[in-house]
Amino acid sequence: MDPATLSKLLSPDGWALLAALPPYDEKQAMALSMRLRDQGVDPDLAAAALTQSRLRAKARAKLGDFADGMLFTPDGVEQATRLIVAALHARRYLAAGVTKVADLTCGVGADALAFAGVGLRVLAAEIDEVTAAMATMNLRHFPEAEVRHTDGLSLDLAAEGVDGVYADPARRTRGGKRVFDPKDYAPPLDAVWALRAQAPAVGIKVGPGIAHQGLPADAETQWVSVDGDVVEAGLWFGPLAPQGPGRSALLLHTRGAGTLTRTLRSPVPVGAHAAGPAYDQAPPVGPVGGYVYEPDGAVIRAGLVGQAAHDLGGRLLDATIAYVTTDQPAPADAVDPASGQAPLATGFRVLDVMPFGVKRLKSYLRERDVGRVTIKKRGTAVTPEALRAQLSLHGPREATLILTRVADAQKVLVVEPITHTEPRGGGPR
């Protein structure tokens, strides 16, 4: 959106038009656009309002009802921190005693909104003029939040009275291609974490796929998942990491109006080789038991599968693959939301185990009238789409398959999801 169109949207007529639009419906968007034009609405304004309606609908998954009063860019929606996670970021700064946060890359202002919402003073910087204007609008209810159209790295933190820094560097090119090398972030990751020399309380949001190698040893690196979806990783320095450097996984499980949490932590700094607790050592490896558990993705990304195996009371199927197997159901406090914590892993009861072979598997499933399969895989080059085509199944029943490696051999595990706490017992049959 160009500045002229944004000005039209922010005019009284433009804002009234946006507020009057019905809930976004992709199927009705074209007809609604034509109707607005027939009513004499400026074509640029109509297009901008409909775009905002679409982006607001998309942003609701991250920001809930707050999205209905905000303005967005497509990139802003993609990079916006989920409100539930942004609130936890804000609490870190409060707990660290920070009073004023510089959000160096505020985008449309989702994190700045959370900071201001808990009473922190916020200086938000955004290098793009239109995005900065949108952030200003989005933060309009918080006089303690100031947005500036500037490069965040140019701020004089001491002169501004800033005692905490936050940044969410862009991880996509202008063409939308994902950037994986932190040196290619905008701004580069090295330039941001160098600011800890000026303000020790520095937090940086990074992509969850960031490699462990090369991360600063003085940071807590935390991977975060929401309902099993790994949404981000964060680097937390100084007072923002009160338990010291290391790796951690924060699991969030939304349930009704509340949120269950679980944190796994290794005190071993990223890149270090110091010995930690027993579960930081190589977990045991053994044969398939009666149950298989897939640890939450944040646990896997954080390299804490060994701790997960310990907490689940199990062993790995393979030393390099993140599947944990147990002979009995895992403790309820590790996997059952009714325990009051976010589930550590997704569980499956093992029904059968067999060597991998398309012909044999096809026969097995057809004998059981299986027409649809859910395929999970780790440690195999087989693609679910290709396997489904080869199986060519027809039938009323469903099955779940896990393709993986057990004792250096490709295996198929036929399983069923555990949806409730099971009685003791069970196993392959």
Side-chain angles (χ1 to χ4, degrees):
M1 183 186 303
D2 59 74
T5 302
L6 178 61
S7 295
K8 293 179 182 179
L9 189 62
L10 293 178
S11 69
D13 289 343
W15 201 245
L17 171 63
L18 183 56
L21 291 178
Y24 185 78
D25 183 345
E26 184 70 36
K27 296 179 180 178
Q28 299 298 322
M30 182 61 71
L32 179 56
S33 176
M34 296 301 296
R35 187 159 64 249
L36 292 175
R37 294 190 181 194
D38 289 344
Q39 293 172 357
V41 176
D42 178 276
D44 289 340
L45 175 58
L50 288 171
T51 295
Q52 287 303 312
S53 179
R54 175 176 58 81
L55 293 175
R56 283 178 171 183
K58 187 175 182 180
R60 283 185 64 87
K62 290 184 175 183
L63 301 173
D65 292 342
F66 281 95
D68 293 341
M70 298 176 66
L71 295 176
F72 297 96
T73 63
D75 287 346
V77 174
E78 291 297 328
Q79 197 160 340
T81 302
R82 295 180 188 229
L83 188 61
I84 187 176
V85 180
L88 294 176
H89 293 171
R91 290 174 195 166
R92 271 192 188 259
Y93 286 86
L94 274 182
V98 172
T99 59
K100 185 173 184 179
V101 179
D103 185 346
L104 304 184
T105 55
C106 75
V108 296
D111 276 293
L113 191 68
F115 294 144
V118 298
L120 292 165
R121 291 181 295 144
V122 182
L123 174 56
E126 172 53 48
I127 201 167
D128 179 76
E129 180 183 3
V130 169
T131 306
M134 289 184 175
T136 300
M137 189 66 182
N138 293 339
L139 290 163
R140 62 193 180 278
H141 299 302
F142 297 96
E144 62 271 40
E146 176 189 358
V147 179
R148 291 187 195 168
H149 171 215
T150 188
D151 181 349
L153 293 178
S154 70
L155 295 175
D156 185 334
L157 301 181
E160 298 289 352
V162 167
D163 53 357
V165 173
Y166 177 79
D168 181 4
R171 297 178 294 279
R172 290 182 182 273
T173 65
R174 290 186 178 275
K177 185 178 180 180
R178 192 178 298 276
V179 172
F180 294 98
D181 188 342
K183 293 180 181 178
D184 295 329
Y185 287 2
L189 197 52
D190 287 350
V192 179
W193 69 40
L195 293 175
R196 62 194 190 277
Q198 301 179 45
V202 173
I204 310 171
K205 177 180 171 181
V206 295
I210 192 167
H212 289 196
Q213 184 178 8
L215 291 177
D218 60 335
E220 176 192 359
T221 305
Q222 183 174 82
W223 283 259
V224 182
S225 68
V226 178
D227 296 329
D229 180 20
V230 185
V231 297
E232 70 170 63
L235 304 175
W236 304 102
F237 297 91
L240 298 177
Q243 297 186 53
R247 301 185 309 273
S248 64
L250 174 61
L251 284 52
L252 305 175
H253 179 78
T254 57
R255 192 170 77 168
T259 301
L260 303 179
T261 68
R262 180 188 297 270
T263 302
L264 274 71
R265 177 180 168 77
S266 166
V268 181
V270 174
H273 300 287
Y279 50 69
D280 278 326
Q281 308 309 308
V285 178
V288 181
Y291 299 84
V292 169
Y293 293 88
E294 182 177 19
D296 184 276
V299 174
I300 296 172
R301 297 273 191 170
L304 298 175
V305 174
Q307 181 175 343
H310 174 274
D311 293 351
L312 292 166
R315 56 193 177 270
L316 300 185
L317 294 175
D318 182 277
T320 63
I321 296 175
Y323 281 129
V324 177
T325 187
T326 65
D327 297 318
Q328 302 291 341
D333 62 1
V335 294
D336 190 347
S339 69
Q341 294 189 77
L344 171 61
T346 302
F348 302 89
R349 185 172 185 272
V350 179
L351 305 177
D352 254 317
V353 182
M354 68 186 77
F356 176 74
V358 175
K359 184 176 181 180
R360 177 176 180 173
L361 180 58
K362 183 175 183 178
S363 175
Y364 175 95
L365 295 172
R366 285 193 169 184
E367 287 174 2
R368 289 158 178 77
D369 294 324
V370 173
R372 290 194 298 173
V373 289
T374 298
I375 302 173
K376 304 180 71 66
K377 51 160 272 185
R378 289 189 185 277
T380 176
V382 176
T383 63
E385 295 77 12
L387 181 58
R388 283 195 188 89
Q390 289 177 294
L391 293 174
S392 186
L393 297 173
H394 303 281
R397 297 185 177 179
E398 300 182 16
T400 300
L401 309 176
I402 295 178
L403 311 182
T404 191
R405 192 168 60 245
V406 180
D408 295 324
Q410 296 293 321
K411 298 286 187 178
V412 178
L413 281 58
V414 183
V415 301
E416 61 182 8
I418 300 173
T419 56
H420 59 278
T421 303
E422 293 196 356
R424 308 290 286 185
R429 66 171 185 257

